[in-house]
Amino acid sequence: MSLTAEELEILRLSLRVSFWSVLASLPLAVAVAYLLARATFPGKTLFDAAVHLPLVLPPVVVGYFLLLLFGRRGPLGGLLEDWFGIVVAFRWTGAALAASIMGFPLMVRAIRLSFETIDRRLEAAASTLGAGGIGVFLTVTLPLALPGIITGVLLSFARSLGEFGATITFVSNIPEKRARCRSRSIPLRRRLRETRPRCGSAS
């Protein structure tokens, strides 16, 4: 089975969005997972609930809030456009942002569980051998948590690849010249192909 040029473009865009969504959210996910696994602070339960909120909110609601925040008239979107000339709403970068937020709780959960299963005595032994806090984290904690990190990356990537609700609200389906689409991913293609079968068709 061969793919058309349009389908190949949609596949490349979907992989591009998923890749960058995972790459952008991974450092923050590791930090949040480590904080939830090791730290004790006031409001930890509320913070944990906020991290996992995208799992229980309808994706369309998440996309709507993103549109309010990162739209050209939104508080963050206006700042990004005025200061850096960056526009994320109705762009593939917006799709990556929406996908990263929807997949973030899955990544955090997997990495957090991996941190919680690490034997703290191994870290203590590294400390007694002269390793500092950062050294222990980089040479002991992080390698031991690698299975959870890989699992979180795969879960987030799969979630990003199939993301539809937040993307259709925040990014929509924007046709571009030469029958290309800036924001049509695989789920959008499947949903909209009956009404708009070709990306560059004239209205």
Coordinates of all heavy atoms in Angstrom, one line a residue, residues 65-127:
F65 N -8.6 26.4 27.0 CA -7.8 27.2 27.9 C -6.5 27.6 27.3 O -6.0 28.7 27.5 CB -7.5 26.4 29.2 CG -8.7 26.4 30.2 CD1 -9.3 25.2 30.6 CD2 -9.2 27.6 30.6 CE1 -10.3 25.2 31.5 CE2 -10.3 27.6 31.5 CZ -10.8 26.4 32.0
L66 N -5.9 26.7 26.5 CA -4.7 27.0 25.8 C -4.9 28.2 24.8 O -4.1 29.0 24.6 CB -4.2 25.8 25.0 CG -3.5 24.7 25.8 CD1 -3.2 23.5 24.9 CD2 -2.3 25.2 26.5
L67 N -6.1 28.1 24.2 CA -6.4 29.2 23.2 C -6.6 30.5 24.0 O -6.2 31.6 23.5 CB -7.7 28.9 22.5 CG -8.1 29.8 21.3 CD1 -7.0 29.8 20.3 CD2 -9.4 29.3 20.7
L68 N -7.2 30.5 25.2 CA -7.3 31.7 26.0 C -6.0 32.2 26.4 O -5.7 33.5 26.4 CB -8.2 31.4 27.2 CG -9.7 31.2 26.9 CD1 -10.4 30.9 28.2 CD2 -10.3 32.3 26.2
L69 N -5.0 31.3 26.7 CA -3.7 31.8 27.2 C -2.8 32.1 26.1 O -2.0 33.1 26.2 CB -3.1 30.7 28.1 CG -3.8 30.4 29.5 CD1 -3.2 29.2 30.1 CD2 -3.7 31.6 30.4
F70 N -2.7 31.3 25.1 CA -1.7 31.5 24.1 C -2.2 32.0 22.7 O -1.4 32.1 21.8 CB -1.0 30.1 23.8 CG -0.2 29.6 24.9 CD1 -0.7 28.8 25.9 CD2 1.1 30.0 25.1 CE1 0.1 28.3 26.9 CE2 1.9 29.6 26.1 CZ 1.4 28.7 27.1
G71 N -3.5 32.4 22.7 CA -4.0 33.1 21.5 C -3.3 34.4 21.4 O -2.7 34.9 22.3
R72 N -3.5 35.0 20.2 CA -2.9 36.3 20.0 C -3.3 37.4 21.0 O -2.6 38.4 21.3 CB -3.1 36.8 18.6 CG -2.4 35.9 17.6 CD -2.4 36.6 16.2 NE -1.5 35.9 15.3 CZ -1.2 36.3 14.1 NH1 -1.8 37.4 13.6 NH2 -0.4 35.6 13.3
R73 N -4.6 37.3 21.5 CA -5.1 38.2 22.5 C -5.0 37.7 23.9 O -5.4 38.3 24.8 CB -6.6 38.5 22.2 CG -6.8 39.2 20.8 CD -8.2 39.5 20.6 NE -8.4 40.2 19.3 CZ -9.6 40.6 18.8 NH1 -10.7 40.4 19.6 NH2 -9.7 41.2 17.7
G74 N -4.4 36.5 24.1 CA -4.2 35.9 25.4 C -3.0 36.6 26.1 O -2.1 37.2 25.4
P75 N -2.9 36.4 27.4 CA -1.8 37.1 28.2 C -0.4 36.5 27.8 O 0.5 37.3 27.6 CB -2.2 36.7 29.6 CG -3.1 35.6 29.6 CD -3.9 35.7 28.3
L76 N -0.3 35.2 27.6 CA 1.0 34.6 27.2 C 1.2 34.7 25.7 O 2.3 35.0 25.3 CB 1.0 33.2 27.7 CG 1.0 32.9 29.2 CD1 1.0 31.5 29.5 CD2 2.1 33.7 29.9
G77 N 0.2 34.5 24.9 CA 0.3 34.5 23.5 C 0.7 35.9 23.0 O 1.5 36.1 22.1
G78 N 0.1 37.0 23.6 CA 0.4 38.3 23.3 C 1.8 38.7 23.6 O 2.5 39.3 22.8
L79 N 2.3 38.2 24.8 CA 3.7 38.5 25.1 C 4.7 37.8 24.2 O 5.7 38.4 23.8 CB 4.0 38.0 26.6 CG 3.3 38.8 27.7 CD1 3.6 38.2 29.0 CD2 3.8 40.3 27.7
L80 N 4.4 36.5 23.9 CA 5.3 35.8 23.0 C 5.4 36.5 21.6 O 6.5 36.6 21.0 CB 4.8 34.4 22.8 CG 5.0 33.5 24.0 CD1 4.4 32.1 23.7 CD2 6.5 33.3 24.3
E81 N 4.2 37.0 21.1 CA 4.2 37.6 19.8 C 4.9 39.0 19.8 O 5.7 39.3 18.9 CB 2.8 37.7 19.3 CG 2.7 38.3 17.9 CD 1.3 38.3 17.3 OE1 0.4 38.1 18.1 OE2 1.1 38.7 16.1
D82 N 4.6 39.8 20.9 CA 5.2 41.1 20.9 C 6.7 41.1 21.2 O 7.4 41.9 20.6 CB 4.5 41.9 22.0 CG 3.0 42.2 21.7 OD1 2.7 42.1 20.5 OD2 2.2 42.4 22.6
W83 N 7.2 40.2 22.1 CA 8.6 40.2 22.5 C 9.4 39.4 21.6 O 10.6 39.7 21.3 CB 8.7 39.7 23.9 CG 8.1 40.6 24.9 CD1 7.5 41.8 24.7 CD2 8.1 40.5 26.4 NE1 7.1 42.4 25.9 CE2 7.5 41.6 26.9 CE3 8.6 39.5 27.2 CZ2 7.3 41.7 28.3 CZ3 8.4 39.6 28.6 CH2 7.8 40.7 29.1
F84 N 8.9 38.2 21.1 CA 9.8 37.3 20.4 C 9.3 37.0 19.0 O 9.9 36.3 18.2 CB 9.9 36.0 21.1 CG 10.4 36.1 22.5 CD1 9.5 36.0 23.6 CD2 11.7 36.3 22.8 CE1 9.9 36.1 24.9 CE2 12.2 36.5 24.1 CZ 11.3 36.4 25.2
G85 N 8.1 37.5 18.6 CA 7.5 37.2 17.3 C 7.1 35.8 17.1 O 7.0 35.3 16.0
I86 N 6.8 35.1 18.2 CA 6.4 33.7 18.2 C 4.8 33.6 18.3 O 4.2 34.2 19.2 CB 7.0 32.9 19.3 CG1 8.5 33.0 19.2 CG2 6.5 31.5 19.4 CD1 9.3 32.3 20.4
V87 N 4.2 32.9 17.4 CA 2.8 32.6 17.4 C 2.6 31.1 17.4 O 3.1 30.4 16.6 CB 2.1 33.2 16.2 CG1 0.6 32.9 16.2 CG2 2.3 34.7 16.1
V88 N 1.9 30.6 18.4 CA 1.7 29.2 18.6 C 0.3 28.8 18.2 O 0.1 27.6 17.8 CB 2.0 28.7 20.0 CG1 3.5 28.9 20.3 CG2 1.2 29.4 21.0
A89 N -0.7 29.6 18.4 CA -2.1 29.3 18.1 C -2.2 29.1 16.5 O -1.7 29.9 15.8 CB -3.0 30.3 18.5
F90 N -2.9 28.0 16.1 CA -3.1 27.7 14.7 C -1.8 27.5 14.0 O -1.7 27.8 12.8 CB -3.9 28.8 14.1 CG -5.2 29.1 14.8 CD1 -5.4 30.3 15.5 CD2 -6.2 28.2 14.8 CE1 -6.6 30.5 16.2 CE2 -7.4 28.4 15.4 CZ -7.6 29.6 16.2
R91 N -0.8 27.0 14.6 CA 0.5 26.6 14.0 C 0.8 25.2 14.5 O 0.3 24.7 15.5 CB 1.6 27.5 14.4 CG 1.4 29.0 14.0 CD 1.5 29.2 12.5 NE 1.6 30.6 12.2 CZ 0.5 31.4 12.0 NH1 -0.7 30.9 12.2 NH2 0.7 32.6 11.6
W92 N 1.8 24.5 13.8 CA 2.2 23.2 14.3 C 2.8 23.2 15.7 O 2.7 22.2 16.4 CB 3.1 22.5 13.3 CG 4.5 23.1 13.3 CD1 5.0 24.1 12.5 CD2 5.6 22.6 14.1 NE1 6.4 24.3 12.9 CE2 6.7 23.3 13.8 CE3 5.7 21.6 15.1 CZ2 7.9 23.2 14.5 CZ3 6.9 21.4 15.7 CH2 8.0 22.2 15.4
T93 N 3.4 24.4 16.0 CA 4.0 24.5 17.3 C 2.9 24.5 18.4 O 3.1 24.0 19.5 CB 4.8 25.8 17.4 OG1 4.0 26.9 16.9 CG2 6.1 25.7 16.6
G94 N 1.8 25.0 18.1 CA 0.6 24.9 19.0 C 0.1 23.5 19.2 O -0.2 23.1 20.3
A95 N 0.2 22.7 18.1 CA -0.2 21.3 18.2 C 0.8 20.6 19.1 O 0.4 19.7 19.9 CB -0.2 20.7 16.8
A96 N 2.1 20.9 19.0 CA 3.1 20.3 19.8 C 2.9 20.7 21.3 O 3.0 19.8 22.2 CB 4.5 20.7 19.4
L97 N 2.5 21.9 21.5 CA 2.2 22.4 22.9 C 1.0 21.7 23.5 O 1.0 21.2 24.6 CB 2.0 23.9 22.9 CG 1.5 24.5 24.2 CD1 2.6 24.3 25.3 CD2 1.2 26.0 24.1
A98 N -0.1 21.6 22.7 CA -1.3 20.9 23.2 C -1.0 19.4 23.4 O -1.4 18.8 24.4 CB -2.4 21.0 22.1
A99 N -0.2 18.8 22.5 CA 0.1 17.3 22.7 C 1.0 17.1 23.9 O 0.8 16.1 24.6 CB 0.8 16.8 21.5
S100 N 1.9 18.0 24.2 CA 2.8 17.9 25.3 C 2.1 18.0 26.6 O 2.4 17.2 27.6 CB 4.0 18.9 25.3 OG 3.4 20.2 25.4
I101 N 1.1 18.9 26.7 CA 0.3 19.0 27.9 C -0.6 17.8 28.1 O -0.7 17.3 29.3 CB -0.5 20.3 27.8 CG1 0.4 21.5 27.9 CG2 -1.6 20.3 28.9 CD1 -0.3 22.9 27.8
M102 N -1.2 17.3 27.1 CA -2.0 16.1 27.2 C -1.2 14.8 27.6 O -1.7 14.0 28.3 CB -2.8 15.8 25.9 CG -3.8 17.0 25.6 SD -4.9 17.3 26.9 CE -5.8 15.8 27.0
G103 N 0.0 14.7 27.1 CA 0.9 13.6 27.4 C 1.7 13.7 28.7 O 2.3 12.8 29.2
F104 N 1.8 15.0 29.2 CA 2.6 15.3 30.4 C 2.3 14.4 31.6 O 3.2 13.9 32.2 CB 2.6 16.7 30.7 CG 3.5 17.2 31.7 CD1 4.9 17.3 31.4 CD2 3.1 17.5 33.0 CE1 5.8 17.8 32.4 CE2 4.0 17.9 34.0 CZ 5.4 18.1 33.7
P105 N 1.1 14.3 32.0 CA 0.8 13.5 33.2 C 1.2 12.0 33.1 O 1.7 11.4 34.0 CB -0.8 13.6 33.3 CG -1.1 14.8 32.6 CD -0.2 14.9 31.5
L106 N 1.1 11.4 31.9 CA 1.5 10.0 31.7 C 3.0 9.9 31.8 O 3.5 8.9 32.4 CB 1.1 9.6 30.3 CG -0.4 9.6 30.0 CD1 -0.7 9.2 28.5 CD2 -1.1 8.6 30.9
M107 N 3.7 10.9 31.3 CA 5.2 10.8 31.4 C 5.6 11.0 32.9 O 6.5 10.3 33.4 CB 5.8 11.9 30.6 CG 7.3 11.9 30.5 SD 8.1 13.2 29.6 CE 7.4 12.9 28.0
V108 N 5.0 12.0 33.6 CA 5.3 12.2 35.0 C 5.0 11.0 35.8 O 5.8 10.6 36.7 CB 4.6 13.4 35.5 CG1 4.7 13.6 37.0 CG2 5.1 14.7 34.9
R109 N 3.9 10.4 35.6 CA 3.5 9.2 36.4 C 4.5 8.1 36.3 O 4.9 7.5 37.3 CB 2.1 8.7 36.0 CG 1.6 7.5 36.7 CD 1.4 7.9 38.2 NE 0.8 6.7 38.9 CZ 0.7 6.7 40.2 NH1 1.1 7.7 40.9 NH2 0.1 5.7 40.8
A110 N 4.9 7.8 35.1 CA 5.9 6.6 34.8 C 7.2 6.9 35.5 O 7.8 6.1 36.1 CB 6.0 6.4 33.3
I111 N 7.7 8.2 35.3 CA 9.0 8.5 35.8 C 9.0 8.6 37.4 O 9.9 8.2 38.0 CB 9.5 9.9 35.2 CG1 9.6 9.8 33.7 CG2 10.8 10.3 35.8 CD1 9.9 11.1 33.0
R112 N 7.9 9.1 37.9 CA 7.7 9.2 39.4 C 7.8 7.8 40.0 O 8.4 7.6 41.0 CB 6.4 9.9 39.7 CG 6.2 9.9 41.2 CD 4.8 10.5 41.5 NE 4.5 10.6 42.9 CZ 3.4 11.0 43.4 NH1 2.5 11.5 42.6 NH2 3.2 11.0 44.7
L113 N 7.1 6.8 39.4 CA 7.1 5.5 39.9 C 8.5 4.9 39.9 O 8.9 4.1 40.8 CB 6.1 4.6 39.1 CG 4.6 4.9 39.3 CD1 3.8 4.0 38.4 CD2 4.2 4.7 40.8
S114 N 9.2 5.2 38.8 CA 10.6 4.7 38.7 C 11.5 5.3 39.8 O 12.3 4.6 40.4 CB 11.1 5.0 37.3 OG 12.4 4.4 37.1
F115 N 11.3 6.6 40.1 CA 12.1 7.2 41.2 C 11.7 6.6 42.5 O 12.6 6.4 43.4 CB 11.8 8.7 41.2 CG 12.6 9.5 40.2 CD1 12.0 10.5 39.5 CD2 13.9 9.3 40.0 CE1 12.7 11.3 38.5 CE2 14.7 10.0 39.0 CZ 14.0 11.0 38.3
E116 N 10.5 6.3 42.7 CA 10.1 5.8 44.0 C 10.6 4.4 44.3 O 10.7 4.0 45.5 CB 8.5 5.8 44.1 CG 7.9 7.2 44.2 CD 6.4 7.2 44.2 OE1 5.8 6.2 43.8 OE2 5.8 8.3 44.5
T117 N 10.9 3.6 43.3 CA 11.4 2.3 43.5 C 12.9 2.2 43.6 O 13.4 1.1 43.9 CB 11.0 1.4 42.3 OG1 11.5 1.9 41.1 CG2 9.4 1.3 42.2
I118 N 13.6 3.3 43.5 CA 15.0 3.3 43.6 C 15.4 3.1 45.1 O 14.9 3.7 46.0 CB 15.6 4.6 43.1 CG1 15.4 4.7 41.6 CG2 17.1 4.7 43.4 CD1 15.9 6.0 41.0
D119 N 16.4 2.2 45.4 CA 16.9 2.0 46.7 C 17.7 3.2 47.1 O 18.8 3.5 46.5 CB 17.7 0.7 46.7 CG 18.1 0.3 48.1 OD1 17.9 1.1 49.1 OD2 18.6 -0.9 48.3
R120 N 17.3 3.9 48.1 CA 17.9 5.1 48.6 C 19.3 4.8 49.1 O 20.2 5.7 49.2 CB 17.1 5.8 49.6 CG 15.7 6.2 49.2 CD 15.7 7.3 48.2 NE 16.2 8.6 48.8 CZ 15.3 9.4 49.4 NH1 14.0 9.2 49.4 NH2 15.8 10.6 49.9
R121 N 19.6 3.6 49.6 CA 20.9 3.2 50.1 C 22.0 3.3 49.0 O 23.2 3.6 49.4 CB 20.8 1.8 50.7 CG 20.0 1.7 52.0 CD 19.9 0.3 52.4 NE 19.2 -0.6 51.4 CZ 18.9 -1.8 51.6 NH1 19.3 -2.5 52.7 NH2 18.3 -2.5 50.7
L122 N 21.6 3.1 47.8 CA 22.6 3.2 46.7 C 23.0 4.7 46.5 O 24.2 5.0 46.3 CB 22.0 2.7 45.4 CG 21.6 1.2 45.3 CD1 20.9 0.9 44.0 CD2 22.9 0.4 45.5
E123 N 22.1 5.6 46.7 CA 22.4 7.0 46.6 C 23.3 7.4 47.8 O 24.2 8.2 47.7 CB 21.2 7.8 46.5 CG 20.3 7.6 45.3 CD 19.0 8.3 45.3 OE1 18.4 8.3 46.4 OE2 18.5 8.7 44.3
A124 N 22.9 6.9 49.0 CA 23.7 7.2 50.2 C 25.1 6.6 50.1 O 26.1 7.3 50.5 CB 23.0 6.5 51.4
A125 N 25.3 5.5 49.5 CA 26.6 4.9 49.3 C 27.4 5.8 48.3 O 28.6 6.0 48.6 CB 26.5 3.5 48.7
A126 N 26.8 6.3 47.3 CA 27.5 7.2 46.4 C 27.9 8.5 47.1 O 29.0 9.0 46.8 CB 26.6 7.5 45.2
S127 N 27.1 9.0 48.0 CA 27.4 10.2 48.7 C 28.6 10.0 49.6 O 29.5 10.8 49.8 CB 26.2 10.6 49.6 OG 25.1 11.0 48.7

